Structure formats: structure tokens, C-alpha cells
Amino acid sequence: MKWKKEIEGLKAYQPGKSIEAVQKEFGLSTIHKLASNENPYGCSPKVQEFLAKEAFNFALYPDGAATDMRSTVSEHLGVSGRKLIFGNGSDELISIISRSLLRPGVNTVMAKPTFSQYALNARIEGAEVREVPLKDGTHDLVEMLEQIDHETAVVWLCSPNNPTGVVIDDSALTAFLDKVPQDVLVVLDEAYFEYITNPTYRNTLSYIDEYPNLLILRTFSKAYGLASFRVGYGMASEPIIAKLEPVRGPFNTTVLSQAVVSVAVEDQSFIDMCRSENEKGKQLIEKFCTAHNLHFYPSDTNFILMEVKTDSDIVFQKLMEKGYIVRSGNVLGVPGYVRVTIGTQEQNEGFLRQLSDVLKDQGVAI
């Protein structure tokens, strides 16, 4: 086989174990999956009602232009439909961007650690990956600017960052955007936008008009609770979208996904509820960390990256045996930490009880 040399040695994305697999392995009846940052409250009840009563002809291709979904999202955001591109999750959009701009001889700049798909897609395309270590959990924009040169094609900013959850301060962001060369695309990944409550954050939508080299990514997989429908979207100037559209697959979002997104967007009271409950859960976990002298990063997402002062993999394994699936910091590039999705009150309280027991068993002072 004539494989691309760029894919040699690459490892596929490793998702956490499924609920069914953990149930079978440990003989548990109840599993709390707090590893993938899914919405513990599911999706809007209006989506459930819609799916229960609507019928679809599954023999027909979906609308390749996503006309109705595009119109709904455009109206909701106040952004022209010509400035939107939709993908099979943000993952596909990252792939489309990488395929369009990255190749051998060019480079791309990103933080470390951050969302793994930026580097993976860049390496598949043969581009040089320049990773700049985080500073206090957020992007070191000064050093990232230093890494940009005439061969830089894309800069990736994840705000709030995954896995730390820290949002980029608005003044720092705009100062950075003011200095980035106009021929370098800046991708601002805001997958957790709906959870942001930080007062230093300013809604960035207006920036796509101020900065013609900026593309903003968001998703319906997180706060909207539509992860299984796989819809992400990008917002940028019309010339950028026009360049990316031919690289997008013609039917990359489904009939069902287009329909439910249009319904979900109309129920902003559900999003408000999720944000409010998420704040309560976040405060509970932060209080636990503070009381037990465990470092954590201030999160504007529905997860917290918290210190465990012992081997992350052991904590991950012991919690899984007790029915709580989290993410080990070892696989995220942050050893000694775990990343836990903020769940319902019952899930959060149960997680903290089990974590306390696990840490005590590992000799951690709790």
C-alpha cells in the first residue's frame, strides 16, 4: 500500500470507555459518564417532542445547503448565512480547514495542551506543528505571536481551552488579533461558548467583521446536548467561507441533524437552565478542591481539570470501578490531574464522595 508517510506512527483518537463496556466489566448497574463533556441534562424537551411526532423520508439526501438550519442559526446569531459553514461536528470543520490550508513546507501554531485534533490534522497534511506551552492554563499569546512567520498558515486558539477550561481574556485576544498577519487564518474554537460566564469575555461575533482572517468555531454537541447528531459550525468573512465550501462534503449534515438544530436553537430557556445548573455544580467541585488543597483551573466550560496529587491513571481506574468515568490527565498531557464533566447535583456529590475515598486510599491527605 502506498500510504502517506505523514500518517506513519499516528494514533487514532482514543475515546473513553462506553457506559455499556464499564457496566459489563465491573458488573455495575449504574454508570455516571463524566468524561466526554456531554450535557447531563440531555437536549431540549422540544427536540424530544419534535422527534416523537415527525416522520422523515430516509431515502432522500439531506439539503446540501442546509437551508432551514442555516436560516435559523443566521437569525439567532445575527450573522449572514453566507458567513456560516456547517460540519459533521467541529471535528470535520477542523479537518476541512487543515486540508484547505496546511501542507508540507508550511507551519501551524497552537497551544499545548489543547484539543488534540488541531495537531493530528496538521500532521496528516504534512505541516510543521509549533506548540506553545500554556501559561496558567491559558494561551501564551505573546509567545504564540513570536512563533508566527511567513510560512505560518493557521493559528489555533481554543477558548475556553480544552482540557484546562480557561477562557482567553478579551483584551489579550484583540491585542493578538491586531498583530497577526492578514494572510494567517486564526481559528477561534469556542465549543463551550454557551457555558462562559467570565466577565472578561466579550462575545466575539462582531470580530469576524473586524478581522477578515478570523474564523470562529462553535458546536451543538455541548450545551445543546445534540452530540449524537454531530453538528458544528464556523463563522467567518464571506471570502473565507467561499474558499472552504468546496472542500466540504456535499451532504455532510443529515436530515435529522438539520431538523433538530432548528428546533433546539429556538429553546434558549433550556440553555439558560443548563448554564445555571452548571455553575452550581462547578462551584461545588471548586469548593471541594479549595477545602482539600487541590489545584484546579478556573473553568468557563462544563468540566473542571483538577489536581489529584497521585497517579491520574490509578484515580481514573478506581473511579471507574465505582461507576464514575472521568478522563485521566495522563492522556491529556496534564499528569497528576483528572478532567471531570460537571454533572447533575446527584452526580457531582457522588463523584466527590468516591473521589475522596479513592484519594484517601492512595495516601493523599483529604
Side-chain angles (χ1 to χ4, degrees):
M1 297 292 182
K2 299 178 179 64
W3 300 110
K4 290 176 66 173
K5 63 181 179 59
E6 287 83 4
I7 70 170
E8 292 180 8
L10 291 183
K11 295 182 179 179
Y13 178 78
Q14 296 295 318
K17 287 189 176 183
S18 68
I19 290 175
E20 294 75 18
V22 175
Q23 283 178 319
K24 183 177 181 180
E25 183 176 354
F26 300 108
L28 299 170
S29 59
T30 302
I31 301 295
H32 304 280
K33 188 185 177 192
L34 304 175
S36 301
N37 308 331
E38 295 143 328
N39 190 335
Y41 301 100
C43 62
S44 165
K46 293 183 179 181
V47 170
Q48 301 283 8
E49 294 169 7
F50 174 80
L51 291 172
K53 68 181 181 181
E54 293 294 326
F56 297 88
N57 184 346
F58 296 120
L60 301 180
Y61 283 106
D63 174 10
T67 306
D68 291 343
M69 178 169 68
R70 184 180 303 273
S71 177
T72 300
V73 174
S74 171
E75 182 177 351
H76 171 63
L77 297 174
V79 173
S80 166
R82 293 187 296 275
K83 296 180 179 179
L84 296 171
I85 183 170
F86 294 93
N88 188 261
S90 296
D91 299 291
E92 186 193 23
L93 294 174
I94 293 168
S95 177
I96 289 171
I97 293 164
S98 300
R99 188 179 179 190
S100 301
L101 287 158
L102 300 180
R103 62 187 183 278
V106 304
N107 67 71
T108 180
V109 178
M110 64 196 68
K112 182 179 182 179
T114 193
F115 188 44
S116 62
Q117 296 303 295
Y118 310 147
L120 176 66
N121 279 277
R123 291 187 172 109
I124 290 171
E125 301 303 329
E128 177 193 352
V129 176
R130 297 183 177 179
E131 297 176 306
V132 177
L134 296 174
K135 182 179 289 186
D136 298 325
T138 192
H139 293 59
D140 184 348
L141 296 180
V142 175
E143 180 57 30
M144 291 182 75
L145 199 62
E146 288 292 320
Q147 292 296 317
I148 298 172
D149 60 23
H150 64 284
E151 297 297 343
T152 303
V154 184
V155 176
W156 305 90
L157 304 178
C158 188
S159 181
N161 187 51
N162 185 3
T164 58
V166 180
V167 73
I168 298 174
D169 178 85
D170 180 70
S171 60
L173 174 63
T174 53
F176 178 79
L177 293 173
D178 286 338
K179 297 175 182 176
V180 175
Q182 291 295 295
D183 64 347
V184 175
L185 180 68
V186 178
V187 180
L188 180 61
D189 188 346
E190 295 186 326
Y192 298 91
F193 161 75
E194 288 81 9
Y195 288 112
I196 298 174
T197 58
N198 194 310
T200 70
Y201 174 81
R202 174 188 168 190
N203 194 323
T204 55
L205 284 186
S206 65
Y207 292 169
I208 63 174
D209 293 321
E210 297 178 41
Y211 301 98
N213 59 330
L214 175 67
L215 188 152
I216 300 170
L217 295 180
R218 293 182 184 173
T219 183
F220 291 101
S221 294
K222 303 303 181 184
Y224 282 91
L226 301 177
S228 66
F229 290 97
R230 310 304 300 125
V231 181
Y233 60 102
M235 299 169 284
S237 63
E238 290 185 34
I240 289 178
I241 298 300
K243 284 289 189 181
L244 294 175
E245 275 289 353
V247 186
R248 177 184 64 82
F251 303 111
N252 64 330
T253 56
T254 69
V255 171
L256 282 174
S257 63
Q258 292 179 22
V260 299
V261 162
S262 295
V263 175
V265 166
E266 300 297 333
D267 190 2
Q268 289 302 305
S269 62
F270 174 76
I271 300 299
D272 293 340
M273 181 277 291
C274 292
R275 184 187 304 110
S276 176
E277 292 301 312
N278 186 72
E279 281 298 299
K280 295 176 185 176
K282 183 165 63 177
Q283 290 170 13
L284 179 68
I285 298 174
E286 289 177 347
K287 183 178 179 180
F288 176 91
C289 291
T290 300
H292 299 294
N293 195 30
L294 300 172
H295 176 259
F296 65 92
Y297 289 95
S299 175
D300 269 282
T301 66
N302 67 334
F303 63 81
I304 290 182
L305 184 67
M306 58 179 292
E307 185 182 26
V308 290
K309 294 186 176 179
T310 188
D311 190 319
S312 303
D313 285 347
I314 292 177
V315 175
F316 159 77
Q317 182 67 28
K318 296 297 183 182
L319 284 172
M320 187 163 56
E321 293 172 7
K322 295 173 179 288
Y324 288 82
I325 310 174
V326 300
R327 287 285 273 178
S328 168
N330 288 351
V331 299
L332 300 172
V334 196
Y337 286 70
V338 296
R339 191 192 69 189
V340 57
T341 303
I342 299 166
T344 63
Q345 180 177 343
E346 179 183 4
Q347 288 175 323
N348 296 331
E349 291 174 348
F351 160 71
L352 292 176
R353 284 194 302 270
Q354 299 297 344
L355 176 64
S356 182
D357 289 344
V358 168
L359 294 184
K360 287 176 182 177
D361 289 344
Q362 295 303 308
V364 178
I366 290 291

